[in-house]
Amino acid sequence: MTMLYDALILPFTEFAFMQRALGGALMLSLSACPVGVFLMLRRMSLTGDAMAHAILPGAAAGFLMYGLEIVPMTIGGLIAGIVVALGAGAVARLTVQKEDASLAAFYLISLSLGVLMVSLRGSSIDLMHVLFGTVLALNNDALSLIALVCAVTLVLLVLFWRALVAECMDPLFLRSVSRLGSPVHFIFLGLVVINLVAGFQALGTLLSVGLMVLPAASARFWSQHVSMICLLAIAIGFASSIAGLLLSYHASLPSGPAIILSAGAVYFVSVIASPRGLLFSRLPRSAHRTA
C-alpha cells in the first residue's frame, strides 16, 4: 500500500510544480476535450492540427520582443491564429483552391516562419520550449490564463450547445431555421484558437492539439451520444494527464509527450477493445459466417 501511495500520490502532494502541472493539464482537458469532440464530428481534426501550427509565428514574435513572457506570446498566438484562419478562408472563397489545401499551405508557411523566428534569437532549449511546451514549469500567470480559457469555453458550450450539435449534424438546416448558423461557426473556431493558445503554454504548438483530438477520437469508439462522448473525452483527458505526469516523473521523460502518448495508448485500446472497435465489431460477422 505504501508503495502504491509513493508511486501514485506522493509526487502530487510533495512537489508544488507537479501540483501546478496537474491543475493546468486537468483544466486543459476540461475545456479542450469537448472542443475536440466537435472538431471530430465536423471532420475538422486536421484543421485543428493546422491551427495549432499556425499560432507559432505570433508566439515567436512575442518571444522575440519580450522573451518567455506569457501575455505577449498569448496575444501573438491569437493574432496569428486568426490571420491564418481568415487568410485560408479568403483564398478558398476567392480562388479555385479548396480550403484544406489553402489551410495546409498557410500552416506550413507559418510553422517554418515561427521556427526560423525563434532560432534567430533563442537557443535550442527555447525552441523546444515553444514547440513542445513545459507543463512542469507552469507559473501562476499560465494557470490563470488556462483557467480563464476553461471558464469561457464551458460557458459558451453551455449557451450554444444545441446550436453546436445541430451544426455538426446539418449546418444548412441550422442556417435555414436559425440566425445562429454563421455566428456559432465563428464562435466554435474562436474556441479552437483560444484552447490551442492555452494548450500552447503547457504542451507547445506541436502537441497542444493532441490533448484536444486524441481523447475525443477515443471516446467516439465507446458511445454515439454527443454529451456522453464529451464526458468520456474529458475523463480520458484527465486519466492521460495523470498517467503522463506520473510517467514523466518516475521515468524522467518529457512531460508533454508523455501525456500525449498516454492519450495515444487509450486510443489504441479503444480501436481494438471498445464495443465499436476492431475486436467486437467483427465478432458478429465471424459468427454469422461460421453459422
Side-chain angles (χ1 to χ4, degrees):
M1 196 68 180
T2 303
M3 292 180 61
L4 195 62
Y5 176 84
D6 291 342
L8 302 180
I9 308 298
L10 185 63
F12 297 116
T13 59
E14 186 171 348
F15 300 104
F17 70 90
M18 288 291 288
Q19 296 171 7
R20 288 193 296 269
L22 179 63
L26 293 182
M27 286 189 291
L28 282 174
S29 299
L30 186 59
S31 62
C33 290
V35 175
V37 171
F38 287 104
L39 265 179
M40 178 191 61
L41 293 176
R42 291 163 175 253
R43 299 181 180 180
M44 294 174 60
S45 298
L46 290 178
T47 300
D49 183 57
M51 292 304 300
H53 293 76
I55 67 175
L56 183 55
F63 167 76
L64 287 176
M65 290 186 286
Y66 298 97
L68 292 172
E69 294 290 334
I70 183 171
V71 174
M73 294 179 72
T74 298
I75 295 174
L78 283 172
I79 294 173
I82 293 171
V83 168
V84 168
L86 293 178
V91 170
R93 289 177 181 271
L94 300 177
T95 70
V96 297
Q97 193 168 63
K98 300 295 184 181
E99 188 171 10
D100 61 337
S102 62
L103 189 60
F106 270 81
Y107 103 75
L108 288 170
I109 295 170
S110 297
L111 177 62
S112 302
L113 179 62
V115 171
L116 181 63
M117 292 171 66
V118 175
S119 301
L120 286 176
R121 173 178 169 182
S123 64
S124 59
I125 296 177
D126 294 326
L127 183 59
M128 293 291 288
H129 173 90
V130 172
L131 292 179
F132 298 106
T134 52
V135 66
L136 294 181
L138 289 177
N139 55 27
N140 292 333
D141 291 337
L143 287 176
S144 298
L145 171 67
I146 295 172
L148 177 62
V149 169
C150 181
V152 170
T153 299
L154 293 178
V155 169
L156 290 178
L157 285 176
V158 170
L159 290 177
F160 296 100
W161 176 265
R162 295 183 65 181
L164 285 167
V165 173
E167 196 191 16
C168 288
M169 305 307 172
D170 195 340
L172 294 179
F173 173 76
L174 177 63
R175 292 175 187 177
S176 66
V177 300
S178 172
R179 296 180 179 178
L180 289 176
S182 295
V184 163
H185 180 69
F186 287 106
I187 289 171
F188 173 70
L189 290 179
L191 288 177
V192 173
V193 172
I194 65 172
N195 276 276
L196 289 174
V197 170
F200 158 77
Q201 305 299 331
L203 301 171
T205 58
L206 297 185
L207 296 178
S208 58
V209 73
L211 195 60
M212 183 179 290
V213 171
L214 280 173
S218 302
R220 186 68 177 89
F221 285 99
W222 297 93
S223 178
Q224 300 183 49
H225 302 285
V226 178
S227 56
M228 183 56 65
I229 294 173
C230 288
L231 292 175
L232 286 172
I234 292 171
I236 293 170
F238 283 180
S240 301
S241 298
I242 296 170
L245 288 173
L246 289 174
L247 181 63
S248 171
Y249 175 81
H250 291 295
S252 299
L253 297 174
S255 51
I259 291 174
I260 304 306
L261 284 176
S262 299
V266 177
Y267 174 76
F268 283 116
V269 170
S270 301
V271 169
I272 297 171
S274 68
R276 306 181 68 198
L278 293 174
L279 183 61
F280 290 100
S281 64
R282 292 183 177 272
L283 283 179
R285 299 180 184 178
S286 299
H288 178 72
R289 289 175 183 173
T290 303

